[in-house]
Amino acid sequence: MAVKILEAGPTPLDPEFLDIFLKGNLSLETHPRKKPYNWLPEVGWQDLMRLTELAATKQAAGGGQHPLCRIADDITKDEAAWQTYHEREAPESAPLPNGFSTSLTQFETLLLLRCLRMDRVTVAITHFVMATLGERFVTPPVLDYSAIYKQTSETTPVLFVLSPGADPAFDVFRLGEELGFKPGGKLKYMALGQGMGPKAAELIESGAARGLWVMLQNCHLLPRWLKNLDKILERLQKPHKDFRLWLTSEPTDKFPLGVLQRSLKVVTEPPNGLKLNLRQSYSKITEEVLANC
């Protein structure tokens, strides 16, 4: 998404550099120039050779030779500086040796980091998006479960796509209590697993008839039954207006298209860092609670 936004702006990314960043060196032949030091990753050195060759065909932003075309020579000449950079805990936050930070764009610095420290590229991409587009493009929104509920209906299930460490169940339980659907009472829930399909089907049909909330957790653990879920939802002609179906699942390609099309899909991510944790905590505090403090 960031690439598409930048393409429409005044400073689009170089498509050939972007291709190297996404795919690396695709040549089947090993470059004849051997890596000068053992601490350099072999794959990274091959990518660096391709990057150097490509840079030789381009000009720097201010004209003249592109600085990336001499990066391999500089690494060879100054092992100490580049090894120190390579061995840093967070090289993406450190300046490049020998003034390259001032002569390379942020994306070109990202290219170089990809060659030297592939393990830090994900963090560096986050920094790049924040610097070019803004922090809001990397900050997951705080989920408002009341707003999610308002978008649902008795025929529109909610499918939570789980990320590692995220569990929306307790937030759904809290919302249910606020709206009179107490867990264990008018809110029925179960974690799916082997042999639980018939029980889940029974819960859905009972909930649709009586106006209950039904929550089925970990749908990805029962992939064969999901086709039955699609058929069950198709058979529900006129469910009770209070009926709601909540589903949770890790990303899987086993979900029937019919269920996905009729569902409201919500991606859940655990808050990362103090700021996001505080935002999530404050989002759950109502004006009434604050007034009573």
Side-chain angles (χ1 to χ4, degrees):
M1 184 175 73
V3 170
K4 291 298 182 182
I5 293 174
L6 292 173
E7 281 181 356
T11 56
L13 302 180
D14 184 297
E16 292 181 301
F17 279 157
L18 179 61
D19 194 58
I20 289 183
F21 180 74
L22 296 175
K23 303 175 184 177
N25 185 358
L26 298 179
S27 174
L28 299 178
E29 297 182 2
T30 302
H31 197 277
R33 183 172 178 176
K34 304 297 183 183
K35 66 176 184 178
Y37 312 114
N38 289 330
W39 51 266
L40 284 167
E42 182 60 42
V43 174
W45 179 255
Q46 296 300 320
D47 291 343
L48 189 67
M49 290 296 94
R50 173 66 185 129
L51 182 60
T52 302
E53 292 173 351
L54 180 59
T57 67
K58 299 182 179 295
Q59 286 190 332
Q65 190 182 51
H66 197 288
L68 278 176
C69 71
R70 54 185 173 85
I71 192 69
D73 294 334
D74 198 86
I75 292 174
T76 303
K77 292 175 182 177
D78 196 351
E79 178 186 8
W82 285 101
Q83 185 173 10
T84 299
Y85 174 80
H86 175 268
E87 293 177 353
R88 285 183 179 275
E89 183 176 348
E92 71 281 354
S93 301
L96 293 169
N98 303 332
F100 276 94
S101 290
T102 58
S103 58
L104 298 179
T105 66
Q106 190 166 8
F107 181 67
E108 291 165 352
T109 302
L110 197 57
L111 274 171
L112 185 54
L113 182 70
R114 184 194 188 284
C115 298
L116 300 177
R117 286 289 301 274
M118 176 66 86
D119 60 304
R120 301 300 300 175
V121 168
T122 301
V123 178
I125 289 174
T126 301
H127 292 171
F128 172 75
V129 173
M130 289 174 62
T132 54
L133 298 178
E135 186 177 354
R136 66 190 182 93
F137 282 88
V138 297
T139 303
V142 175
L143 291 180
D144 184 343
Y145 285 82
S146 296
I148 292 172
Y149 171 73
K150 291 177 182 177
Q151 298 179 57
T152 67
S153 71
E154 64 272 21
T155 58
T156 305
V158 179
L159 172 59
F160 291 103
V161 182
L162 303 177
S163 300
D167 184 4
F170 292 105
D171 293 295
V172 174
F173 293 165
R174 186 182 296 110
L175 175 66
E177 289 188 357
E178 292 174 359
L179 298 178
F181 293 83
K182 187 176 181 180
K186 295 186 70 177
L187 195 165
K188 306 295 183 180
Y189 59 93
M190 65 180 298
L192 295 185
Q194 187 173 5
M196 302 298 290
K199 178 64 176 176
E202 182 182 334
L203 270 183
I204 294 174
E205 292 170 355
S206 173
R210 297 167 54 196
L212 308 179
W213 284 15
V214 177
M215 186 170 198
L216 303 181
Q217 298 167 274
N218 300 326
C219 293
H220 59 282
L221 297 180
L222 206 58
R224 293 183 178 179
W225 179 77
L226 293 177
K227 292 182 179 180
N228 293 335
L229 173 62
D230 191 17
K231 295 176 181 178
I232 293 170
L233 295 179
E234 286 181 355
R235 287 200 304 266
L236 295 179
Q237 297 296 327
K238 294 182 179 180
H240 194 286
K241 63 181 180 64
D242 292 334
F243 171 64
R244 293 295 184 276
L245 178 61
W246 309 82
L247 308 170
T248 74
S249 174
E250 292 183 2
T252 175
D253 59 358
K254 303 300 182 182
F255 250 97
L257 185 60
V259 178
L260 293 176
Q261 288 178 333
R262 63 165 52 94
S263 298
L264 174 66
K265 292 160 285 292
V266 181
V267 177
T268 61
E269 293 186 35
N272 181 21
L274 178 61
K275 180 179 178 180
L276 293 182
N277 272 282
L278 286 173
R279 283 183 61 194
Q280 187 176 71
S281 297
Y282 286 143
S283 71
K284 299 175 182 177
I285 301 175
T286 64
E287 292 293 338
E288 182 181 354
V289 171
L290 288 174
N292 292 331
C293 289

